[in-house]
Amino acid sequence: GAVVSQHPSWVICKSGTSVKIECRSLDFQATTMFWYRQFPKQSLMLMATSNEGSKATYEQGVEKDKFLINHASLTLSTLTVTSAHPEDSSFYICSAFGQYFGPGTRLTVT
Amino acid sequence: GENVEQHPSTLSVQEGDSAVIKCTYSDSASNYFPWYKQELGKRPQLIIDIRSNVGEKKDQRIAVTLNKTAKHFSLHITETQPEDSAVYFCAASSGGSNYKLTFGKGTLLTVNP
């Protein structure tokens, strides 16, 4: 079956620093990847749609300069949280084709 | 944009009983309705989905029904087992499976042995 990996699985960073999260499709190609954020005991909220070879599409209220998305190849999409703050602490999950989710990245900003 | 409402937020049943979770959506253009099971700290897993040209779909103990006119769809789990305990999310999309999903708020299902 299709496998999506994410790295790192968890990360702790200091406020003001940047963190990069990688999302890879291991056995298939994806022109589109979706990035979701999930706060504890809450639902998944779509942040942006990552498009290979073009700019990402951000959902309303998501700061594109803060959450940088790059879809450099058909198997790799990255999300960089810039100048992270404690309120950015969350579970970040990527997805392809609506059913193939990465294992998620737990970000804690101290 | 699309809005998906999900009820109940928590559901507790005895092992062997049935569980029903209901969702409504707002966008009449939505045509793909998946259901996910998420265990604590893990990724969502697709358990069943239905498209707008179908009214009902069943997979062993799990079934989903869709009423396009009323814009609601439901998940039915029969003969529940303790391992069914998890958070269940419904979602809707207007572009099929390779399109952005709008999720419901989730239902915490607890199956008591």
Side-chain angles (χ1 to χ4, degrees):
Chain A
V3 178
V4 177
S5 71
Q6 272 184 251
H7 178 80
S9 56
W10 59 271
V11 58
I12 302 173
C13 71
K14 292 186 176 181
S15 187
T17 61
S18 296
V19 173
K20 179 185 283 188
I21 301 170
E22 293 186 348
C23 174
R24 293 181 185 273
S25 54
L26 299 185
D27 52 0
F28 67 97
Q29 295 181 331
T31 56
T32 303
M33 280 286 194
F34 303 98
W35 285 94
Y36 294 87
R37 178 168 54 183
Q38 185 176 33
F39 292 109
K41 296 187 178 182
Q42 293 189 24
S43 187
L44 288 82
M45 294 295 293
L46 180 67
M47 299 176 65
T49 302
S50 167
N51 303 297
E52 189 269 336
S54 64
K55 291 183 179 180
T57 304
Y58 291 82
E59 294 302 299
Q60 190 172 11
V62 177
E63 300 174 60
K64 63 180 181 180
D65 294 330
K66 181 173 181 60
F67 298 99
L68 301 179
I69 290 175
N70 184 277
H71 198 140
S73 74
L74 290 171
T75 58
L76 174 64
S77 176
T78 61
L79 167 66
T80 301
V81 183
T82 63
S83 187
H85 290 284
E87 55 264 34
D88 298 324
S89 298
S90 188
F91 193 49
Y92 293 87
I93 311 175
C94 63
S95 168
F97 298 112
Q99 57 181 300
Y100 307 125
F101 283 86
T105 297
R106 175 78 56 193
L107 170 64
T108 301
V109 184
T110 60
Chain B
E2 175 66 278
N3 182 49
V4 178
E5 299 282 343
Q6 183 172 347
H7 298 280
S9 57
T10 61
L11 179 60
S12 181
V13 300
Q14 289 298 122
E15 183 176 359
D17 287 351
S18 295
V20 180
I21 303 171
K22 299 182 179 182
C23 288
T24 61
Y25 62 98
S26 61
D27 189 352
S28 56
S30 288
N31 57 11
Y32 176 66
F33 308 93
W35 286 89
Y36 300 88
K37 176 184 180 181
Q38 187 179 32
E39 297 177 347
L40 189 62
K42 298 192 175 181
R43 76 186 86 191
Q45 288 186 302
L46 178 70
I47 56 172
I48 196 167
D49 57 12
I50 193 167
R51 299 181 189 274
S52 59
N53 58 346
V54 176
E56 184 174 358
K57 184 177 178 180
K58 189 174 181 180
D59 183 5
Q60 299 182 3
R61 296 187 297 111
I62 295 174
V64 57
T65 58
L66 170 65
N67 183 325
K68 285 178 57 181
T69 303
K71 293 184 191 168
H72 66 70
F73 56 113
S74 301
L75 176 71
H76 304 253
I77 305 175
T78 59
E79 300 173 23
T80 54
Q81 302 165 2
E83 49 266 39
D84 293 331
S85 297
V87 178
Y88 290 80
F89 292 99
C90 63
S93 164
S94 61
S97 59
N98 193 26
Y99 199 67
K100 58 182 182 179
L101 294 164
T102 301
F103 284 82
K105 291 190 181 300
T107 296
L108 174 60
L109 174 63
T110 303
V111 181
N112 302 298

